[in-house]
Amino acid sequence: MPERPERFLAPDRCYEADTCEPVRAAERAGLLELTAVAHGTYPGKQLPPRCLPEVRTVGFWDSPREQNWGLQWHRNEGVELTYIARGKLSFSAGAAMYRLSRGALTITRPWQRHRVGNPNVGASRLYWLILDVGVRRPNQNWHWPPWMIMSRDDLDVLTRLLRHCEQPVWRGNHEIEGCFERIGEAIASDNEGSGLSRIKLHINELFVCLKEMLQRREPVLDQSLSSSQRTVQLFLDGLPEQSAVEWTLERMAEQCGLGRSRFTHYCRQLTNMRPLEYLTHCRLKQAQELLRKQPEKNITEVALEAGFGSSQYFATVFKKYCACSPGDYRAQQES
């Protein structure tokens, strides 16, 4: 039985780690060369389970020409670094789209939605590393791998720089490029684990260079990015897409790593509603959109898809908040 992608909780929903299937398909078709080691369902030579478990995937691709595929919107279960050594690529993070050229470095955290290609991938050499530091939400503490050789003070500085600034695209430097090149050479020359020590060494070197680069750039740091309130805001932003989930107050609070009272406090600050009231609000908005845009769905189908337990309960709540029945609302929209 094929291995399933690892599932992990981001602030807004549960995700499966990206399998990079378009990359696999392009490699099988001979459209690019892939050199990587990985755990789980990421492409590349599989690492032994206990070997560098925090390294989800590290490697590079060589795309000699324009491709007809791209990596769609996704999140990863670790901090992802990518570096463009040759060519150009389109990259999107959140609402921003970037045209990356040689020397561009991207940094994304597990809660940052991003994609590569718009929609296709250009001729390029792309290096990447996804390192799991034990966080899925902005307000969690970071746990670096025990094999990192940086001092505790340096790791604290690096953590602060990565937690309190979420700028996704940077201009790299020769030190960053050299680290990725040496990682790639160690992977390419690996023979049944012979290159693992060098891979580990150069990953450490990469993060030392990353810390020094970020310190020199003196980015503006915002401590609120790692606050519990922001984690709740991210959850609430994603709730309309997850309105059909059987949410309870306890489950919503747990998703944000908070107790019920604290979660309720932040929810009222951000929405002026209690959590279950806001959930009903999201479900009604979803139902209204379905009634407007999908006339082929009957009222029961709309109710269930929006997260209401029955059409009768849906009709009662809808009339209370919207002052008309779902059927009348649809008729008004059609007319």
Side-chain angles (χ1 to χ4, degrees), residues 11-32:
D12 54 345
R13 59 186 291 190
C14 181
Y15 289 91
E16 288 188 342
D18 186 27
T19 62
C20 302
E21 182 54 38
V23 178
R24 296 174 186 272
E27 183 190 24
R28 289 194 296 267
L31 300 176
L32 61 72

Side-chain angles (χ1 to χ4, degrees), residues 81 129 176 179-180 183 202-210:
L81 309 180
L129 166 66
I176 297 287
C179 292
F180 273 113
I183 291 170
H202 298 315
I203 290 176
N204 273 278
E205 182 186 15
L206 172 63
F207 279 103
V208 170
C209 292
L210 178 64

Side-chain angles (χ1 to χ4, degrees), residues 24-323:
R24 296 174 186 272
E27 183 190 24
R28 289 194 296 267
L31 300 176
L32 61 72
E33 294 183 9
L34 174 72
T35 305
V37 292
H39 286 289
T41 56
Y42 287 105
K45 186 190 305 181
Q46 285 296 294
L47 289 165
R50 297 183 180 180
C51 179
L52 303 180
E54 299 85 0
V55 176
R56 306 312 300 163
T57 175
V58 59
F60 65 94
W61 78 44
D62 260 314
S63 169
R65 55 186 177 276
E66 182 83 17
Q67 305 286 316
N68 61 358
W69 56 270
L71 294 176
Q72 295 305 308
W73 290 105
H74 63 280
R75 292 169 172 83
N76 301 106
E77 75 276 40
V79 175
E80 180 177 36
L81 309 180
T82 73
Y83 182 80
I84 307 297
R86 302 174 190 165
K88 295 181 178 181
L89 277 176
S90 293
F91 174 80
S92 301
M97 198 272 280
Y98 305 86
R99 182 65 172 168
L100 306 182
S101 58
R102 183 183 183 281
L105 171 73
T106 73
I107 308 173
T108 52
R109 295 90 181 150
W111 49 90
Q112 289 183 287
R113 183 170 172 261
H114 58 283
R115 71 174 180 176
V116 178
N118 187 31
N120 297 335
V121 167
S124 57
R125 171 175 277 202
L126 176 71
Y127 289 92
W128 67 81
L129 166 66
I130 299 177
L131 186 74
D132 189 350
V133 292
V135 296
R136 303 293 181 262
R137 304 183 296 266
N139 60 337
Q140 289 180 305
N141 292 325
W142 290 40
H143 300 284
W144 293 92
W147 44 266
M148 295 291 286
I149 61 174
M150 295 173 67
S151 70
R152 173 48 55 189
D153 287 345
D154 282 348
L155 284 175
D156 288 344
V157 170
L158 178 59
T159 301
R160 186 164 61 252
L161 290 166
L162 294 177
R163 288 185 81 192
H164 297 154
C165 176
E166 292 184 357
Q167 179 178 328
V169 176
W170 300 78
R171 176 55 49 185
N173 56 32
H174 293 301
E175 289 81 8
I176 297 287
E177 181 173 26
C179 292
F180 273 113
E181 287 179 345
R182 287 186 285 277
I183 291 170
E185 290 167 0
I187 295 171
S189 63
D190 178 69
N191 182 18
E192 297 184 354
S194 63
L196 293 180
S197 293
R198 287 191 174 275
I199 293 171
K200 184 191 302 185
L201 172 67
H202 298 315
I203 290 176
N204 273 278
E205 182 186 15
L206 172 63
F207 279 103
V208 170
C209 292
L210 178 64
K211 181 193 78 75
E212 293 174 347
M213 185 200 82
L214 293 176
Q215 282 185 300
R216 286 195 295 270
R217 306 285 172 85
E218 297 183 344
V220 176
L221 303 182
D222 181 358
Q223 292 189 21
S224 68
L225 291 177
S226 62
S227 67
S228 295
Q229 178 170 308
R230 178 162 184 260
T231 293
V232 174
Q233 182 67 71
L234 289 172
F235 172 79
L236 296 176
D237 289 346
L239 192 57
E241 298 177 10
Q242 295 293 299
S243 63
V245 173
E246 295 181 6
W247 292 112
T248 63
L249 174 56
E250 291 78 6
R251 189 173 181 186
M252 288 191 282
E254 181 183 3
Q255 183 80 336
C256 296
L258 298 171
R260 297 190 310 170
S261 298
R262 200 67 181 156
F263 175 76
T264 299
H265 168 75
Y266 287 127
C267 185
R268 293 197 68 175
Q269 280 193 331
L270 294 166
T271 68
N272 200 31
M273 297 182 226
R274 292 183 179 276
L276 295 180
E277 291 173 337
Y278 185 71
L279 175 61
T280 298
H281 167 78
C282 292
R283 287 173 170 169
L284 287 169
K285 289 292 187 182
Q286 173 73 356
Q288 288 176 326
E289 184 173 357
L290 292 171
L291 289 168
R292 288 195 307 270
K293 297 183 178 180
Q294 299 190 27
E296 73 280 1
K297 283 186 165 66
N298 61 42
I299 301 300
T300 298
E301 291 172 325
V302 169
L304 296 178
E305 188 168 335
F308 293 94
S310 69
S311 58
Q312 293 84 359
Y313 176 64
F314 169 54
T316 300
V317 175
F318 195 95
K319 191 166 186 178
K320 176 182 177 181
Y321 285 91
C322 303

